[in-house]
């Protein structure tokens, strides 16, 4: 199994990050949206990809449901380049998700019957590669409880970030599902690396919870599993406000500082969490790239 036989050059995927866990509700979409918005704001041409049948990234970034993922599914069916929605923010484009994404499982099966599973699972990478030269960073939001699409995303990425929250489904079932998909994918995509586990949605300064997450991550993903030092806290008020207004935590905090009294003080703490975690993700990616 040689990816180059399908036209894949994994040297081009050096700044593709996927956010994955076998379970939902762990922060994948929120972290993807905030990471993409941050890198775009800092001047790096950025692409966010919503590989999710719910398509909730449009709520976080405020661009509406658009075609609900039809262009994405069509590109994979036709083996053509992905077509981004441009200008969601300055320097930020999006591959739109939504209910049409659910057709991709059937597309994978059709390709597998015609050309084999190897070609089927590389199809996302094949469609992404032609547009990679436009972007300095790409973030992929993966769906929960869908092993085929998880493998598809891993084979189109260089770095995997694994968001978790402190519950058994996320830490045990979710990490196990991710670990199984990763073992398959790294046998093909030999440049693929797990950057680390991102702890989301616990009370701030929850040191014992953070330590337990690190212990359990090492048990499942291996003794060298890395947990990012910065955790992302939780505010139900902010979570609702972000999706009502289609603004990231940082953007809402800027509005609060400018005098918008409808935005709570919690915006500052949540914004700081995301900003610090995304910085740690990039620092670790640079460190791993230098170590190769």
């Amino acid at each position: 199994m040689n990816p180059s036989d399908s036209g894949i050059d994994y040297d081009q995927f050096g700044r593709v990050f996927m956010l994955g866990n076998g379970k939902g509700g762990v922060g994948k979409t929120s972290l993807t949206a905030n990471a993409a918005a941050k890198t775009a704001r800092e001047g790096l041409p950025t692409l966010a990809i919503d590989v999710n049948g719910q398509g909730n990234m449009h709520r976080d970034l405020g661009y509406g449901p658009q075609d609900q993922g039809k262009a994405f599914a069509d590109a994979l069916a036709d083996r053509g380049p992905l077509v981004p929605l441009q200008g969601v923010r300055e320097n930020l484009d999006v591959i739109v998700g939504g209910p049409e994404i659910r057709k991709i499982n059937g597309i994978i099966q059709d390709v597998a019957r015609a050309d084999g599973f190897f070609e089927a699972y590389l199809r996302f990478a094949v469609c992404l590669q032609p547009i990679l030269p436009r972007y300095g960073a790409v973030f992929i939001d993966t769906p929960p409880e869908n092993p085929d699409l998880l493998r598809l995303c891993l084979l189109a990425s260089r770095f995997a970030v694994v968001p978790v929250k402190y519950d058994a489904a996320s830490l045990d079932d979710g990490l196990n599902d991710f670990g199984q998909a990763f073992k398959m994918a790294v046998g093909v995509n030999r440049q693929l690396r797990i950057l680390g586990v991102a702890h989301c949605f616990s009370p701030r300064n929850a040191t014992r919870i953070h330590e337990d997450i690190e212990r359990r991550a090492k048990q499942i993903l291996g003794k060298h599993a890395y947990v990012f030092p910065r955790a992302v806290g939780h505010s139900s008020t902010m979570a609702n406000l972000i999706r009502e207004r289609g603004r990231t935590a940082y953007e809402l905090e800027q509005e609060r500082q400018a005098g918008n009294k409808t935005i709570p003080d919690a915006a500052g703490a949540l914004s700081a969490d995301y900003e610090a975690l995304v910085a740690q993700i990039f620092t670790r990616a640079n460190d791993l790239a230098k170590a190769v």
Side-chain angles (χ1 to χ4, degrees):
M1 295 188 296
N2 190 340
S4 63
D5 293 341
S6 296
I8 299 298
D9 176 8
Y10 276 123
D11 287 342
Q12 297 187 39
F13 288 72
R15 276 294 180 265
V16 182
F17 301 80
M18 64 87 71
L19 290 294
N21 184 309
K23 294 297 181 181
V26 298
K28 295 188 297 291
T29 301
S30 297
L31 184 51
T32 301
N34 280 273
K38 175 178 170 61
T39 56
R41 188 176 67 247
E42 294 179 351
L44 196 66
T46 301
L47 178 67
I49 304 179
D50 187 355
V51 191
N52 201 307
Q54 292 184 336
N56 281 327
M57 197 186 301
H58 83 81
R59 301 183 190 280
D60 289 64
L61 293 174
Y63 54 82
Q66 302 294 323
D67 72 351
Q68 299 187 328
K70 183 178 185 302
F72 191 177
D74 287 349
L76 266 65
D78 297 338
R79 208 177 189 269
L82 298 178
V83 180
L85 174 67
Q86 298 182 342
V88 170
R89 300 285 192 281
E90 185 176 2
N91 296 315
L92 177 58
D93 297 344
V94 172
I95 302 296
V96 175
E100 293 287 320
I101 293 294
R102 298 187 177 112
K103 295 179 179 178
I104 293 176
N105 286 95
I107 292 168
I108 294 171
Q109 296 301 319
D110 289 344
V111 175
R113 282 191 289 269
D115 302 313
F117 277 99
F118 182 66
E119 175 64 27
Y121 282 125
L122 284 173
R123 181 56 63 92
F124 183 17
V126 166
C127 297
L128 175 59
Q129 182 171 284
I131 66 171
L132 286 177
R134 305 182 201 173
Y135 300 104
V138 177
F139 296 93
I140 303 173
D141 177 27
T142 66
E145 300 185 26
N146 194 323
D148 280 341
L149 293 195
L150 187 57
R151 295 185 189 103
L152 205 72
C153 293
L154 285 163
L155 287 173
S157 304
R158 173 65 56 81
F159 296 116
V161 176
V162 190
V164 298
K165 69 177 183 179
Y166 192 60
D167 66 25
S170 164
L171 285 169
D172 298 334
D173 301 339
L175 286 184
N176 271 309
D177 289 349
F178 175 85
Q180 291 301 313
F182 181 85
K183 287 178 183 177
M184 172 271 177
V186 77
V188 178
N189 178 2
R190 297 188 182 279
Q191 298 189 36
L192 180 65
R193 297 291 182 271
I194 299 177
L195 265 192
V197 173
H199 174 192
C200 300
F201 305 155
S202 285
R204 289 184 177 83
N205 302 316
T207 303
R208 284 192 292 179
I209 290 176
H210 197 76
E211 290 173 349
D212 193 34
I213 285 175
E214 187 167 17
R215 177 184 62 81
R216 293 166 77 170
K218 289 180 184 296
Q219 286 177 344
I220 296 171
L221 299 180
K223 64 180 181 180
H224 298 298
Y226 179 82
V227 178
F228 293 103
R230 186 62 170 250
V232 175
H234 180 65
S235 164
S236 296
T237 301
M238 280 299 299
N240 290 332
L241 200 60
I242 284 167
R243 291 198 163 172
E244 283 177 2
R245 301 191 183 184
R247 309 287 283 169
T248 66
Y250 176 90
E251 290 165 344
L252 290 174
E253 170 58 8
Q254 295 305 297
E255 292 181 21
R256 187 189 71 82
Q257 291 187 15
N260 188 336
K261 298 186 183 301
T262 68
I263 299 171
D265 292 346
L270 189 60
S271 172
D273 288 345
Y274 279 120
E275 294 291 298
L277 176 56
V278 174
Q280 289 172 3
I281 286 171
F282 270 87
T283 297
R284 178 135 174 97
N286 288 334
D287 289 345
L288 287 185
K290 291 174 184 176
V292 174

